[in-house]
Amino acid sequence: MPLADNCPLTEVKVSKLKDCPMLTPGRLNVKKFQEWSNTCHRYLKHSEKKPEEIVRFIADGMLELRFMKWYHTNQTCINALSLDKYLTEFAKYALPCKWEHGIRNTLLSSKQGNKPFADWQIELENLNALLANTKSMCCLSDASVQAQLKVNMDPDLRAKLDNTNLIATTFPDWICEVTELNEDLHEENAHTQRLIDANNAARAAERQKCKPLAERLSDPPTCTQSPSLMG
């Protein structure tokens, strides 16, 4: 394991919306960077600082030594940046090399598996949001995310989707309709399994009736007590 992975993650701390946020010493990953970005934008919105001076306050809140060195070495240039440009430059410096490609590869290779469609879809949209919020060129469009979801969803759900006339004309509406299809499919599968279980139980009981009396008497008793009532 690389030495950097042993370092604790940094934390974003702020007591009030109008107070300047702090980035504690530690390792910065993509999700923590996103948290820092969101907190900085909230500070810009709620503080009384002018947009052209906001970066000099925020940059002083970075307490990791290498981030402090980066800021103090380039202080004049960094202070002149807009908040969005500062975050872009900070991401280039602080985040792992080619981190966007790792996120994109995860997006493209992720499969639904046994997860509910809604949970899996949220995971992928959150990953893509990390790219979108850092203005990454690796960010997928809604149409591309929708295509990935369809290609990598559960095969039974995809078959049901192909045989359904959806009325959705937007990506959010498509998500809602597919989520409903997934829930319907889950109910159908559960109903089918109940029928199979009932049929197996009936066949087992019929076979038991057909056994000679001596064999039936020698069979171990069948436990009918509910598992929830057993000790």
Side-chain angles (χ1 to χ4, degrees):
M1 179 181 293
L3 181 61
D5 289 346
N6 293 324
C7 299
L9 283 172
T10 184
E11 293 183 21
V12 178
K13 293 188 174 182
V14 59
S15 54
K16 297 178 182 178
L17 291 176
K18 289 187 177 182
D19 291 345
C20 187
M22 291 191 303
L23 190 65
T24 66
R27 178 168 53 90
L28 184 72
N29 63 12
V30 179
K31 290 184 178 180
K32 285 296 181 181
F33 173 82
Q34 186 62 56
E35 184 181 351
W36 175 245
S37 175
N38 292 339
T39 303
C40 289
H41 277 101
R42 283 195 295 269
Y43 177 60
L44 173 62
K45 179 180 180 180
H46 294 283
S47 72
E48 297 178 354
K49 302 293 187 295
K50 298 177 180 179
E52 60 270 21
E53 65 180 5
I54 199 74
V55 170
R56 69 185 64 189
F57 291 95
I58 288 172
D60 274 336
M62 302 187 301
L63 304 182
E64 169 70 15
L65 290 177
R66 64 192 181 99
F67 299 160
M68 293 169 62
K69 180 178 180 297
W70 170 75
Y71 172 56
H72 290 140
T73 302
N74 307 281
Q75 187 168 354
T76 301
C77 292
I78 293 174
N79 284 347
L81 299 176
S82 66
L83 177 56
D84 285 339
K85 187 61 177 176
Y86 150 76
L87 290 168
T88 299
E89 293 302 316
F90 183 43
K92 290 179 183 177
Y93 172 77
L95 293 177
C97 182
K98 296 184 178 180
W99 66 269
E100 303 113 310
H101 299 281
I103 297 290
R104 185 184 177 92
N105 288 340
T106 299
L107 273 169
L108 297 178
S109 62
S110 178
K111 298 184 182 300
Q112 180 182 354
N114 294 324
K115 299 176 184 175
F117 176 80
D119 293 348
W120 175 59
Q121 165 260 320
I122 289 173
E123 288 180 11
L124 263 61
E125 285 208 75
N126 282 339
L127 286 174
N128 200 44
L130 293 175
L131 299 173
N133 293 336
T134 53
K135 308 296 190 297
S136 171
M137 297 297 293
C138 292
C139 178
L140 301 181
S141 65
D142 284 351
S144 295
V145 173
Q146 180 173 324
Q148 284 301 124
L149 290 169
K150 183 173 182 180
V151 167
N152 292 320
M153 66 175 53
D154 174 78
D156 290 339
L157 176 58
R158 185 166 61 250
K160 190 175 182 67
L161 176 60
D162 289 339
N163 290 311
T164 303
N165 293 322
L166 301 185
I167 62 173
T169 57
T170 65
F171 179 55
D173 289 342
W174 183 85
I175 291 295
C176 290
E177 291 197 51
V178 176
T179 299
E180 290 179 1
L181 288 178
N182 189 223
E183 293 171 351
D184 291 344
L185 181 62
H186 177 75
E187 289 298 324
E188 292 169 6
N189 290 340
H191 177 67
T192 300
Q193 188 60 52
R194 287 194 295 270
L195 293 177
I196 293 173
D197 291 344
N199 182 60
N200 290 339
R203 294 175 63 183
E206 189 63 29
R207 286 195 298 268
Q208 185 71 10
K209 289 180 183 179
C210 295
K211 285 185 176 181
L213 179 60
E215 288 187 29
R216 280 184 277 157
L217 292 176
S218 63
D219 285 344
T222 302
C223 178
T224 59
Q225 186 178 13
S226 172
S228 62
L229 300 178
M230 295 175 65

